Amino acid sequence: MSTLLQALKPAFQAQQNWIEQRTSAWNALEKSGLPGLKDEEWKYTSLQNLDSQNFQVIKNTTIQVPGLEILNRVDAYTIILVNGELSSHQLPDTIQVSRLSAAPESIQNSFWNAPSLAQQDPLTQLNVAVSDDPIVLRLPAGKSLDKPVHLVHLLDASQKQVFSASRLLVHVEKNARLSLIESFHTFGSLSSFSNNFTQALLEQDAHLSYYKIQQDTGDAHHVGTTEVVHLGKSTSHSVTISLQGTLIRNNFHLIFKAPHSEGHMYGLYMSGGEQHIDNHTIADHAVPHCFSNELYKGILDGSSTGVFNGKIFVRQDAQKTNAFQSNKNVLLSQDAKINTKPQLEIFADDVKCSHGATTGQLDESALFYMRARGIGEEQAKALLMQAFANDILEKVEFDDLRALLLEAIEKRLLK
Amino acid sequence: MLKINNLQASVDGKQILKGLHLEVKAGEVHAIMGPNGAGKSTLASVLAGREDYEITGGSVDFLGKELLELSPEDRAREGVFLAFQYPVEIPGVSTINFMKTAVNEVRKYRGLDPLDAPSFLRLMKEKMELVEIDQSLLKRSLNEGFSGGEKKRNEIFQMAMLEPKLAVLDETDSGLDIDALRIVANGVNKLKTSENAVIVVTHYQRLLDYIVPDFVHVLYNGRIVKTGPKELALELEEKGYDWIKAENVTV
Ligand SMILES: Nc1ncnc2c1ncn2[C@@H]1O[C@H](COP(=O)(O)OP(=O)(O)OP(=O)(O)O)[C@@H](O)[C@H]1O
Ligand SMILES: [Mg+2]
C-alpha cells in the first residue's frame, strides 16, 4: 500500500459513522491505489510526489489567523475549518448548518443518493472514507442571504505535513438563492494536502453562485471535487480562480437532472515556477432543454504546467441541449506547458454544442502598439494579461472579492 | 530635431530601406509620398522601434540621441509618436485606461508625478474636444470593433494626449470621410507649434490642403528620390509615379 494510504488508514478506521459507505470507498481505493499516469483521468497530473510523503491527519488544533486578507476584506458569513474539522461559524439564522449525522434522515438520504459522477474517482473515495462527519448547509425554500457564505479552509502545516479531508453538502431549496465561497490557506512551512468534496443540490427555481478561490501561498497540494446538481429547474454560476498552490487538481461537475436548467462555469488559472494546475470539468446533460456555458482561461509562466480537460456529455434524452465550452491559454515562457483537451460525447441529435481551445503567446503587435505609446514592456504585458484575465474576473459578482483578486493578479503580473 | 542618415533596414532578409536620408527641423511639416510598397510604413515603424525590422546600416539622431538604440517605449517617452496605418485592436483594455497608463509612464520618465484622476479627466476632456471624439468610444476596448475612421481619429486623440515632439502620421487620412478629415487635420494643426514637427505619410493631396507641408518627399524603392515644395504633391497627383520610377530605374 502506498505511504499516503498507510498513513491515512488510521483516520479511516477511527471514523464512527457512515461505516458502510466509508468501508466500501476505502476498499475500492485500497484495491486500485492512488491513480497513476496510466489512468486516463490522471494522465497529466502526477500524485507520485504526494504518495511518498508522510501526510497526517491532525485533529484538535487551533490556529491563530493573523490578518488573513480575504477574511478582512471580503464581507461574508464565515465558516472556518481547521485541518478539515469544523472550527467555528458565524451564520445568520436563515441558513442552517449541521453535521450530516445530526440532519433529518430525509436529508441524509437525499445526499447519499445524490447523483454523482465522482464515485469512481479514487481521490473522492479517499475523501468519503476519511473525512469528518460531513457539514450540511441548508438554505430553506424562498430564502436568500444579504452576503455570501465563505467557507475558509485553514491548514496547519507548521509541525507536520498535514492532510485534511472535508466534505460539504449544500442544499438550496425551492426558490432560494445562495452564494458560496470556498478558499484555502496553509500556514507553516511544511507541505499540506487538502482533499475536499462539495456537493450542491439545487431545487426548483434555486440559484447557486459558487466561488473556489485558490491563493494558498504555502506548499499546498489540493485535490478537490465540486458537484453542482440541478435537481429542479435551476441556475448556477461558478468561478474557480487558482493563483497559488504547488499542485492543484479541481474537478468540477455540472449535473443536469431537470429540464430548462442553466449552469455557467468559469475558471482562471495563473501558474508560475513549478506549479501544476489541473482543471477537469464535466457538463452532464441527461435531460432536454438545458444550457451549459463554460469558459476557462489560463496564464502560464516559468516551467509550470496546466491541464484543462472539459467533458460535455449529452445523453440520449437531452434534446435541445445548448452546451458551449472554451479554453484559452497564454504561455509566457518557453518552458510553460498546457495540456488542453475538450471531450464531447453526444448521443442526442437535436443539440447545439461547441468547443474551442486556443493556446498562444502574447500578441506581439499589441505589445508594440502599447510600447509605442510609452508603456514599458513589463507594464504592457501586465495590461494585456489583465485584459485577458478580466473576462473571468468580471464574472465575480462581489466587488470586494473582485478587487482583491484583481490586486493579487496585478501584483503577480508586475512581479 | 531628426536626422536620418543612410538608413538601411530589412525584414525577413528582404532589404526595404536602402540608404535613406531625411532631416526634419523643429516647426516643420514634411510629407512623404510614394507608391505602395515603397517602404513608407517601414520607415515609420523603424523610427518607432518595431523589432521585426533589422537595421542593417545608418543612424537616426533625434534631439541629440541615437534613436535606434532606444527601446520603443523610450522613444515614445523622448517624444516620438507614430500614428499607425493599421491601429491594433486590444480587447479588454479601454482607451481611457490605456492612455492613463501611457501618460503616466511618460511623465514618470520625465520625472513628473502621475496625474491624479481629476487632472487626467480634465486633460482628456480638452483633447477629446480638440479631435471631436466621443467619450463612449474611449470607454470601449481599444480600437476593438472601431470603424476605420474611428481608429484613425483615436490615433490623433492619443497624439493630442501625449503631445509628442515628432509625430509620424502614417496614412492617417485613409478611411476618413470628408468631415473627419477636416477635423483630424485641424487637430493636427492646432497641436502644431514651432517646437514640434510632423511627418505625414499620405497618398493624397487632399490632406495636404489642410496640413500644409514645408517639404514633400517621394520615397521610392527604399530611398527618398525627390524632394520639393508643397507643389510637388500636386504634380504627383496629376502625373502619378511613373516618371519618378523612370528616373530611378533600379540597378
Ligand atoms: N514581413 C515581411 N516580409 C517580407 N516583406 C515585407 C514584410 N513586411 C513588409 N514587407 C514588404 O516591404 C515593402 C515595404 O512595405 P511598406 O509597408 O513599408 O510599404 P508602404 O510604402 O507603406 O506601402 P503602402 O503605401 O501600401 O502603405 C513591401 O513590399 C512589403 O511587402
Ligand atoms: Mg504603408
Side-chain angles (χ1 to χ4, degrees), chain A residues 120-166:
Chain A
Q120 304 304 318
D121 171 43
L123 276 295
T124 307
Q125 288 163 346
L126 176 63
N127 179 285
V128 170
V130 307
S131 63
D132 262 3
D133 195 359
I135 298 164
V136 181
L137 259 186
R138 218 176 111 220
L139 190 60
K143 301 291 188 198
S144 61
L145 305 179
D146 57 339
K147 291 189 239 181
V149 172
H150 183 182
L151 199 73
V152 186
H153 298 264
L154 304 179
L155 288 100
D156 179 6
S158 55
Q159 309 298 325
K160 287 177 185 146
Q161 291 157 305
V162 62
F163 172 87
S164 92
S166 63

Side-chain angles (χ1 to χ4, degrees), chain A residues 267-284:
Chain A
L268 174 69
Y269 42 98
M270 274 179 82
S271 60
E274 304 275 312
Q275 268 183 286
H276 179 90
I277 303 180
D278 175 349
N279 281 287
H280 266 62
T281 69
I282 302 177
D284 184 7

Side-chain angles (χ1 to χ4, degrees), chain A residues 363-379 383-384 386-388 390-391, chain B residues 48-51 72-73 76-77 81-82 84 88 90-93 98 101-102 105 142-143 155 158:
Chain A
D363 180 351
E364 285 297 328
S365 55
L367 265 184
F368 176 67
Y369 187 74
M370 300 176 108
R371 295 176 72 190
R373 298 296 178 253
I375 300 173
E377 189 171 5
E378 288 308 310
Q379 180 91 25
L383 265 179
L384 285 180
Q386 256 170 46
F388 179 82
N390 201 40
D391 282 349
Chain B
R50 191 172 201 122
E51 282 148 359
E73 52 269 38
R77 294 161 180 170
F81 180 90
L82 168 62
F84 284 60
V88 181
I90 305 185
V93 179
F98 177 56
T101 311
E105 287 255 300
L142 187 55
N143 294 327
E155 292 293 287
Q158 293 176 34

Side-chain angles (χ1 to χ4, degrees), chain A residues 279-300:
Chain A
N279 281 287
H280 266 62
T281 69
I282 302 177
D284 184 7
H285 291 262
V287 295
H289 291 287
C290 288
F291 174 38
S292 66
N293 177 37
E294 173 172 27
L295 174 63
Y296 271 66
K297 296 183 105 175
I299 300 174
L300 298 97

